[in-house]
Amino acid sequence: MGRLFGTDGIRGIANRDLSIRRAEEVGMALAEVIRGEHPEKRPTVVIGRDTRLSGEMLQAALAGGLMAGGADVVLLGVVPTPAVAYLTVQKKAAAGVVISASHNPYEFNGIKIFAGTGYKLPDEVENEIEAYIDNDCAGIELKTGAEVGRVYRRDDGLQDYVDHLY
């Protein structure tokens, strides 16, 4: 397979190039990678999105993959990309994800991942995630029982970001 991650995440036409299966795989692979970095605790991932119709669908699939991989998910709702970077750090999350295709046409969408530092993932980490996906997520232990991740909603994230700006 060719390189999945471009300069600004994974992009494509929603439900064609960027399917719910692909979003689920990204979630499972991301959970596996960040759990490996912090095996002593359950990692948390914050997710924000733009207003594209496909965003809710991709968010659900991504969150499902993350939870199946043992990560907790905090849904921020519709927030700007810089808010996700800021809130990843502020909430001490292991990673942050934005579901947005920025300036691309409406039928497109994308998945951009931030490290716990609030900056773009290093290429090595993207390569590790991509290797799992290229291998159909083989080797990823899906969690059961109490090890399955949980999902939470935070409606105050946008206000936290606005307060930070002012």
Side-chain angles (χ1 to χ4, degrees), residues 30-150:
L30 176 58
E32 182 72 12
V33 169
I34 60 178
R35 272 189 316 100
E37 293 172 357
H38 305 284
E40 72 282 357
K41 64 178 186 173
R42 181 194 304 260
T44 298
V45 177
V46 298
I47 301 176
R49 61 181 177 81
D50 70 12
T51 59
R52 293 169 198 264
L53 185 60
S54 60
E56 290 180 343
M57 171 187 72
L58 293 171
Q59 174 183 268
L62 178 71
L66 284 161
M67 292 184 302
D72 287 340
V73 175
V74 177
L75 302 178
L76 301 171
V78 175
V79 295
T81 297
V84 175
Y86 169 74
L87 292 167
T88 298
V89 175
Q90 192 219 24
K91 304 296 182 194
K92 296 180 174 60
V97 179
V98 178
I99 300 172
S100 174
S102 184
H103 61 282
N104 288 297
Y106 183 72
E107 65 272 10
F108 283 78
N109 217 326
I111 298 173
K112 179 176 183 169
I113 306 172
F114 294 105
T117 60
Y119 292 97
K120 183 180 179 294
L121 282 181
D123 288 345
E124 307 81 56
V125 178
E126 287 181 350
N127 291 341
E128 193 175 350
I129 291 168
E130 192 164 326
Y132 279 116
I133 294 169
D134 285 348
N135 200 26
D136 294 322
C137 293
I140 295 177
E141 177 190 345
L142 298 182
K143 302 303 180 184
T144 59
E147 291 184 324
V148 172
R150 306 223 19 195

